[in-house]
Amino acid sequence: QVQLVESGGGSVQAGGSLRLSCVASGRSFSNYIMGWFRQGPGKEREIVAKVSWSGGSTITADSVKGRFTISRDNGRSTVDLQMNSLKFEDTAVYYCAASGRSALISSRDVDYWGQGTQVTVSS
């Protein structure tokens, strides 16, 4: 069992920055691919970024590429999402996610979810 707790959400004006953090407790953190998902109003939950077990490989969605950066610290069992140049359309609830599978492609691959943190971007 893995427990995930997010922090760092809030309200910001367009063009601003926020940093989301997720701390994990429970089973070995380094055994999981970690990711951040988001779900905007009336939209499906979508993957934003993911990072490999060691942190050596990261992938971000096209919609946030060049603006968002995911990183992890296995020693502290944390995964962060640095969000820069925020846009109105980034407004969503952001979820930390852990996958114990060989790949993290969509929500179906997630074994554990955080409770979510709201990010609101005003234009």
Side-chain angles (χ1 to χ4, degrees), residues 18-64:
L18 284 173
R19 187 176 183 89
L20 306 182
S21 293
C22 173
V23 60
S25 59
R27 299 181 66 179
S28 181
F29 180 71
S30 60
N31 289 345
Y32 294 88
I33 301 172
M34 297 301 297
W36 285 93
F37 287 70
R38 68 183 181 186
Q39 187 165 16
K43 299 181 180 179
E44 293 186 356
R45 193 170 298 190
E46 62 176 356
I47 189 166
V48 175
K50 58 186 176 182
V51 58
S52 63
W53 303 270
S54 67
S57 176
T58 63
I59 295 177
T60 51
D62 288 343
S63 59
V64 304

Side-chain angles (χ1 to χ4, degrees), residues 24-123:
S25 59
R27 299 181 66 179
S28 181
F29 180 71
S30 60
N31 289 345
Y32 294 88
I33 301 172
M34 297 301 297
W36 285 93
F37 287 70
R38 68 183 181 186
Q39 187 165 16
K43 299 181 180 179
E44 293 186 356
R45 193 170 298 190
E46 62 176 356
I47 189 166
V48 175
K50 58 186 176 182
V51 58
S52 63
W53 303 270
S54 67
S57 176
T58 63
I59 295 177
T60 51
D62 288 343
S63 59
V64 304
K65 197 175 297 292
R67 300 188 296 120
F68 289 14
T69 303
I70 188 171
S71 60
R72 70 188 292 166
D73 184 332
N74 286 343
R76 296 190 299 123
S77 298
T78 58
V79 57
D80 294 342
L81 185 68
Q82 178 65 43
M83 305 185 294
N84 298 328
S85 301
L86 282 159
K87 303 177 181 180
F88 175 75
E89 50 266 38
D90 295 319
T91 295
V93 178
Y94 284 72
Y95 297 90
C96 179
S99 174
R101 307 173 193 219
S102 59
L104 175 56
I105 306 298
S106 70
S107 298
R108 293 187 297 271
D109 302 313
V110 176
D111 296 304
Y112 302 101
W113 292 100
Q115 82 283 0
T117 185
Q118 177 71 47
V119 171
T120 302
V121 184
S122 57
S123 57

